[in-house]
Amino acid sequence: MVDETKTAKLTIDGDSFELPILSPSAGPDVLDIRKLYGQAGVFTYDPGFTSTAACDSTITFIDGGKGELLHRGYPIDQLASQSHFLEVCYLLLYDALPTAAELEKFENTITRHTMIHEQMVNFFRGFRRDAHPMAIMVGVVGAMAAFYHDSTDISDPQQREVASHRLIAKMPTIAAWAYKYSIGQPFVYPRNDLDYAANFLHMCFAVPAEEYQVDPILARAMDRIFTLHADHEQNASTSTVRLASSSGANPFACIAAGIACLWGPAHGGANQACLEMLNEIGSTDRIPEFIARAKDKNDPFRLMGFGHRVYKNFDPRATVMKQSADEVLELLGVENNPILAVAKELEAAALADPYFAEKKLFPNVDFYSGIILEAMGFPTSMFTPVFALARTVGWISQWKEQISDPALKIGRPRQLYLGETARNYVNIEDR
Ligand code: ACO
């Protein structure tokens, strides 16, 4: 419930305007400037949205200073250790932890929507073998709108529900097939006797020629990676999904837009970029050189997997991910992995360096996720698709929340125009 009793006063050239202040259930107060332009004739300027709340939401809360991440009020470390991904999906979608019967029904529904239309195989085959799996995912997820016409009417709550289930259920199949295609192996169909994470590992690593047993510890680690990436309030890709959806676009198009945004190295692409950086560093004696580069204002190099727009003390997901990395590497007998040694020493060196402390730069979730994924056998190009498949539930939950709001308006930012003012066209011979 928003407390609307406070106000702020803005004075422009002697004229005063009263702005309502909205007090949320948690987090800083928000100045309501919706009527500002109409009343005062000015815009606000905030590129990168560093001080702007673009929507209201009840899904996820982050306190960057405290390193707190809550989904519907539940702390991420409790969800990562005591819950599992599909239960977290239910929580994000429906606002409450499910009863046993509700969970069973939900898991059943997701499990029974994992196959994709057989004709979609042609889309995969149409890509070059060396296509990045994220390119395939953007294309194939967008193409779902052409196959599932019965779940594109966003005004129908039942169709929205079916689209949500389809996207969560089919994303592992799409991601796994993007990978299989890139390595020239046959597509492996989903198996209903496996849970969500085990099924994904199976579709990625099984081959028809021999039996493949999913290790339950690896399946648990995979599930935890999904849980840790499930939602993160109004980040760049989620905001992209919301902006695309504000025009009334269908859910498959909106999620394809989110995948496109996630691809960038400043966002979901960071886990791939981080592992590539650790490989480039290669040995612990080169760490000082890379730390110096990260601090050099004239060098565009940044320590990938470090820093976060919101977390300024620690990323609570990174703490769980680090533990998981230790468990998985021990299980796989690769605790002495040289890249892990570089990662650990780089983290320690950066944390001890005043530059990183002053700028509040700490390892984020991506610093360790790449190490786990590589140990599981994923190539670096698959890191971001794994993130995309896990974040799909967050995108869909935020999309559902936005679409169900009767006050929904198309997103249309304004600008600070610095170009030429009106001038007359000059014929080409006179220029
Ligand atoms: N290495 C070195 N310096 C850094 C780093 C880094 N990783 N991140 C930020 N800085 C420095 C900047 O140079 C800047 O210094 P300045 O004030 O002297 O100019 C200062 O810290 C603030 O940086 P901004 O870019 O303004 O911070 P912002 O909040 O916009 O950026 C971001 C956050 C994009 C995550 C940034 O820290 C970064 O590029 N990190 C590396 C990429 C990465 O790991 N991304 C994953 C994010 S988590 C996720 O998507 C799941």
Side-chain angles (χ1 to χ4, degrees):
M1 197 57 183
V2 173
D3 171 4
E4 296 188 30
T5 51
K6 295 189 211 164
T7 56
K9 195 177 269 178
L10 174 72
T11 305
I12 305 173
D13 292 338
D15 292 328
S16 284
F17 304 93
E18 201 160 63
L19 300 172
I21 294 181
L22 311 178
S23 295
S25 48
D29 283 351
V30 171
L31 269 182
D32 180 351
I33 55 157
R34 280 174 292 180
K35 298 204 172 106
L36 182 64
Y37 178 58
Q39 289 171 350
V42 293
F43 296 146
T44 55
Y45 180 62
D46 184 19
F49 301 108
T50 51
S51 300
T52 297
C55 62
D56 52 72
S57 181
T58 62
I59 302 174
T60 292
F61 173 73
I62 301 172
D63 183 328
K66 281 207 292 198
E68 181 176 64
L69 167 60
L70 309 176
H71 293 319
R72 305 284 190 190
Y74 297 101
I76 189 64
D77 52 323
Q78 290 181 21
L79 294 173
S81 60
Q82 295 169 51
S83 180
H84 63 274
F85 183 64
L86 281 188
E87 187 178 58
V88 172
C89 289
Y90 186 100
L91 175 69
L92 290 169
L93 282 170
Y94 303 113
D95 194 10
L97 287 171
T99 61
E102 286 167 339
L103 182 60
E104 194 189 336
K105 185 166 175 248
F106 180 68
E107 287 182 334
N108 217 26
T109 305
I110 297 300
T111 306
R112 274 159 187 79
H113 278 86
T114 48
M115 279 174 30
I116 53 177
H117 194 292
E118 192 58 22
Q119 224 175 309
M120 290 184 91
V121 168
N122 299 327
F123 278 94
F124 288 88
R125 296 203 199 287
F127 283 95
R128 276 172 57 136
R129 283 280 174 204
D130 58 358
H132 195 287
M134 284 296 277
I136 300 183
M137 288 188 75
V138 174
V140 173
V141 172
M144 284 173 80
F147 285 85
Y148 301 105
H149 297 290
D150 58 346
S151 52
T152 51
D153 178 359
I154 57 161
S155 64
D156 178 348
Q158 176 59 23
Q159 293 206 23
R160 299 205 293 261
E161 184 83 349
V162 175
S164 308
H165 293 159
R166 280 188 169 138
L167 277 157
I168 295 167
K170 294 182 200 308
M171 206 59 90
T173 315
I174 294 171
W177 285 20
Y179 170 54
K180 283 299 198 192
Y181 183 73
S182 72
I183 55 171
Q185 286 188 1
F187 300 129
V188 176
Y189 286 82
R191 263 182 43 189
N192 288 358
D193 61 324
L194 296 175
D195 67 32
Y196 192 85
N199 189 36
F200 176 61
L201 290 172
H202 184 261
M203 288 189 289
C204 288
F205 298 121
V207 287
E210 63 185 37
E211 184 74 8
Y212 173 78
Q213 291 293 341
V214 183
D215 188 308
I217 297 182
L218 290 190
R220 177 77 190 114
M222 187 81 259
D223 188 88
R224 198 172 285 164
I225 289 179
F226 294 161
T227 301
L228 291 175
H229 287 91
D231 190 46
H232 214 229
E233 52 115 308
Q234 310 311 321
N235 56 83
S237 57
T238 303
S239 298
T240 301
V241 170
R242 279 186 178 261
L243 195 55
S245 130
S246 74
S247 72
N250 71 72
F252 305 109
C254 296
I255 301 304
I259 297 172
C261 177
L262 188 78
W263 195 353
H267 192 8
N271 52 12
Q272 171 171 350
C274 179
L275 202 82
E276 285 167 359
M277 173 193 78
L278 294 173
N279 277 315
E280 194 192 339
I281 299 175
S283 62
T284 50
D285 55 315
R286 294 192 68 203
I287 288 174
E289 177 196 327
F290 281 82
I291 295 261
R293 282 188 61 195
K295 288 159 52 174
D296 181 355
K297 278 253 158 279
N298 301 317
D299 188 331
F301 174 78
R302 283 185 168 202
L303 274 194
M304 299 315 286
F306 258 78
H308 197 275
R309 169 60 64 79
V310 181
Y311 295 120
K312 297 299 175 198
N313 274 317
F314 68 96
D315 178 342
R317 303 166 301 169
T319 317
V320 183
M321 199 62 92
K322 188 176 180 180
Q323 272 167 15
S324 224
D326 287 335
E327 277 165 30
V328 168
L329 296 182
E330 194 188 329
L331 171 82
L332 297 172
V334 284
E335 316 91 292
N336 299 325
N337 176 325
I339 295 307
L340 182 68
V342 171
K344 287 195 164 161
E345 211 165 309
L346 178 65
E347 179 188 6
L351 290 178
D353 192 301
Y355 171 93
F356 294 90
E358 274 158 27
K359 296 193 184 305
K360 297 188 180 298
L361 299 170
F362 296 86
N364 59 49
V365 67
D366 290 325
F367 193 70
Y368 280 101
S369 65
I371 294 170
I372 306 181
L373 291 170
E374 190 192 44
M376 284 177 167
F378 287 104
T380 47
S381 62
M382 274 303 287
F383 295 0
T384 318
V386 167
F387 188 164
L389 104 73
R391 183 55 57 82
T392 296
V393 65
W395 292 328
I396 275 291
S397 305
Q398 303 266 352
W399 168 81
K400 267 184 81 190
E401 180 178 71
Q402 184 187 35
I403 282 292
S404 337
D405 181 355
L408 171 65
K409 266 180 177 316
I410 187 166
R412 176 49 170 100
R414 305 306 295 254
Q415 62 174 2
L416 169 65
Y417 177 67
L418 298 174
E420 297 288 347
T421 51
R423 51 181 169 165
N424 289 325
Y425 179 79
V426 180
N427 287 329
I428 198 160
E429 60 275 12
D430 300 328
R431 285 174 216 163

